[in-house]
Amino acid sequence: MGAYLLEWLSLFFRWFHVIAGVAWIGASFYFVWLDLSLRKPPQWKTDKGISGDLWAVHGGGFYEIAKYKLEPEEMPKTLHWFKWEAYTTWLTGAAMMSIVYYANATAYLIDPSKVPFTSIGAIATSLLFLFGSYFIYEVIVRSHLGKNAFIFSTLIFILLVIASWGSYQLFSDRASFIHIGAILGTVMVGNVFFGIMPAQRALVDCVRRGEKPGKEVAELALQAKNRSLMNNYFTLPLIFTMISNHYPMMYAHEQGWLVLVFVGIITATARHYFNQKHLGHKKPRFLVIPAIMTVLLIIWMRPEPIEPAPAMPATAAVMPTTTDSTPPATSATTDKGTTDTVTNANTNSNNSVNNDAATAEAVPVSASADDTMMDVVHTRCSTCHAVQPTQQGFVAPPAGIILQTPEDLKIHKAKIVTAVQTGYMPLGNITQLTDAERQQLVAYASSL
């Protein structure tokens, strides 16, 4: 019953997380485009304190958008704050993290081959990893280093590379990607809560009091600008990590942390191209470089070719032939020599039969390929992929796939080959499928 409720909670929060994330990312993209697309206004608007304007047409109507350099002539009665999109995204993401990775830590969070955590130990380490990373970020952004955009960005990139490597040493492959996404999301919402919103409140308070913003407000505004810039470049990497659990070929790669670093560089560089384009600077190299890096990443990540499964003949046990120990009578009258000869022959025959029987018992019976692989499947796969899963945390077979017979393997062989070869299954290798078993299972399934 508990696992059943967790499934519903996961569904509920996943949808809210997606909706809030789309709203937040959509608003972020829109305002970045808007800010970079503003043009110099006519003089009469400049005299009113407007620094840039934009005309747009959408939904059958015209829109006139103006941005003030500091404050408007008077404070509007209704002022919309863009903050709940960010807060709701983080809150629902934290709920998803708790339901999927903390409530089912042994299935999704822990990889015993890396660190044999207990559930409590893994969760505590995860929380320390996430909030410790954010604390380091806050220290940097509030220091004098945070005032220089280039130095600030370079330091954050280096720290994220270290975090990517560290997450792969601590958690399961799938959880590693999610942790980096959680760090990015926490940094982004922290930028809104601790940086951007305070700067905006300080500006609004000055306008309401009829005061000119002073040095303190200007410093908050500069810090908010750098935080906003960081959010802008984090957006595409964050989207990738949010959907990464659907692409095991990425996180299950033996150098998955490096794959994540490459994807981060590719997506951030592509984001830089559009930022420059909105400013009127067309620099196609910032699209060509990510394209080349993507091709190189594809080539580097390609899986090894599947070797055909070796023939495994099924050999039955050698059964001894039942032989009558009583020799046939050749004559009613036999001399002693003949009798001795027959007796010796029978004795040798009996010894031969006994030796054959002993040999048959000593030689183990070789299992067929089906039997051998089904033993692996039942031990490593069927705990989850059964009509009634026995693995904790599963109330139904993942994706509705049941793997209990060779016919089941044949039906789902394409998915099996991909999932097992990329390391996606078993999830977090919870059943400890060995490398040798993995190769055998891929070869066997591909030959069906």
Side-chain angles (χ1 to χ4, degrees):
M1 188 66 179
Y4 178 71
L5 291 176
L6 285 177
E7 286 289 322
W8 274 102
L9 287 173
S10 175
L11 176 64
F12 177 80
F13 283 110
R14 187 182 299 275
W15 273 104
F16 270 87
H17 183 61
V18 169
I19 293 170
V22 169
W24 184 18
I25 293 170
S28 174
F29 278 4
Y30 172 72
F31 275 99
V32 169
W33 170 83
L34 180 62
D35 206 45
L36 297 176
S37 299
L38 293 172
R39 297 295 180 262
K40 184 178 180 180
Q43 188 60 44
W44 68 270
K45 285 188 176 182
T46 302
D47 295 339
K48 295 176 64 176
I50 296 175
S51 61
D53 69 349
L54 174 72
W55 284 85
V57 60
H58 181 75
F62 289 93
Y63 292 80
E64 181 184 10
I65 302 163
K67 179 181 180 180
Y68 285 82
K69 186 175 182 180
L70 283 178
E71 73 279 359
E73 295 173 302
E74 63 180 63
M75 179 60 65
K77 294 181 179 180
T78 302
L79 185 63
H80 182 76
W81 297 76
F82 286 86
K83 57 181 180 178
W84 286 110
E85 298 88 346
Y87 300 161
T88 306
T89 301
W90 189 88
L91 290 171
T92 53
M96 283 293 301
M97 188 89 168
S98 300
I99 293 168
V100 176
Y101 290 93
Y102 294 167
N104 293 311
T106 54
Y108 295 104
L109 181 61
I110 300 171
D111 184 346
S113 65
K114 295 179 180 179
V115 181
F117 282 122
T118 62
S119 294
I120 298 299
I123 294 170
T125 303
S126 171
L127 292 173
L128 181 62
F129 185 80
L130 292 176
F131 290 105
S133 299
Y134 178 72
F135 176 77
I136 293 172
Y137 172 83
E138 274 295 324
V139 169
I140 294 174
V141 77
R142 291 175 183 271
S143 70
H144 68 279
L145 297 174
K147 298 178 181 179
N148 186 301
F150 177 77
I151 295 177
F152 176 59
S153 302
T154 302
L155 278 176
I156 298 305
F157 172 74
I158 293 172
L159 290 173
L160 282 174
V161 171
I162 296 172
S164 298
W165 178 84
S167 67
Y168 257 79
Q169 313 311 308
L170 296 172
F171 311 112
S172 70
D173 295 343
R174 177 175 174 175
S176 299
F177 269 46
I178 293 299
H179 273 74
I180 298 304
I183 290 174
L184 295 178
T186 302
V187 166
M188 290 175 70
V189 78
N191 282 336
V192 174
F193 188 83
F194 293 110
I196 297 172
M197 291 304 298
Q200 291 178 345
R201 290 192 186 98
L203 178 61
V204 170
D205 288 343
C206 286
V207 174
R208 283 175 176 166
R209 294 194 303 265
E211 300 175 359
K212 287 290 183 181
K215 181 180 178 182
E216 182 179 350
V217 175
E219 288 181 353
L220 286 174
L222 177 61
Q223 189 181 107
K225 180 181 178 182
N226 285 342
R227 287 178 181 267
S228 182
L229 177 67
M230 194 57 56
N231 280 6
N232 175 253
Y233 283 98
F234 278 176
T235 304
L236 293 182
L238 177 64
I239 293 175
F240 171 78
T241 57
M242 287 174 64
I243 64 173
S244 65
N245 60 342
H246 298 291
Y247 298 96
M249 65 177 182
M250 306 297 286
Y251 65 74
H253 190 271
E254 61 182 352
Q255 299 293 335
W257 71 273
L258 195 55
V259 172
L260 184 55
V261 170
F262 268 90
V263 171
I265 295 173
I266 290 168
T267 51
T269 306
R271 179 70 255 174
H272 184 66
Y273 166 80
F274 288 103
N275 288 344
Q276 293 296 309
K277 183 176 181 294
H278 295 327
L279 289 171
H281 309 313
K282 294 183 179 180
K283 298 182 178 181
R285 66 177 179 273
F286 292 121
L287 278 185
V288 173
I289 292 173
I292 294 174
M293 290 183 68
T294 301
V295 172
L296 293 176
L297 187 61
I298 292 171
I299 295 173
W300 175 55
M301 290 179 58
R302 71 190 187 281
E304 295 294 330
I306 299 173
E307 298 293 337
M312 297 177 65
T315 59
V318 179
M319 298 300 293
T321 304
T322 303
T323 306
D324 187 1
S325 59
T326 304
T330 57
S331 173
T333 60
T334 56
D335 58 20
K336 184 177 184 299
T338 305
T339 302
D340 291 339
T341 304
V342 173
T343 301
N344 291 335
N346 288 336
T347 302
N348 292 336
S349 177
N350 287 337
N351 289 338
S352 176
V353 171
N354 290 335
N355 290 337
D356 289 342
T359 302
E361 291 176 359
V363 176
V365 178
S366 299
S368 68
D370 284 349
D371 292 338
T372 301
M373 294 315 305
M374 289 314 300
D375 285 343
V376 173
V377 171
H378 290 154
T379 305
R380 312 300 191 189
C381 309
S382 299
T383 55
C384 299
H385 290 282
V387 177
Q388 293 292 333
T390 57
Q391 178 62 49
Q392 181 183 2
F394 291 86
V395 296
I401 297 174
I402 297 172
L403 302 176
Q404 293 182 304
T405 67
E407 288 71 25
D408 294 336
L409 267 66
K410 186 173 183 179
I411 292 172
H412 301 292
K413 71 175 186 178
K415 294 180 180 178
I416 291 171
V417 169
T418 300
V420 176
Q421 188 178 42
T422 59
Y424 177 44
M425 289 291 176
L427 287 173
N429 203 18
I430 188 173
T431 57
Q432 297 297 291
L433 182 68
T434 67
D435 290 341
E437 290 171 337
R438 191 178 297 277
Q439 293 172 2
Q440 292 168 2
L441 185 53
V442 168
Y444 175 74
S446 63
S447 66
L448 291 175

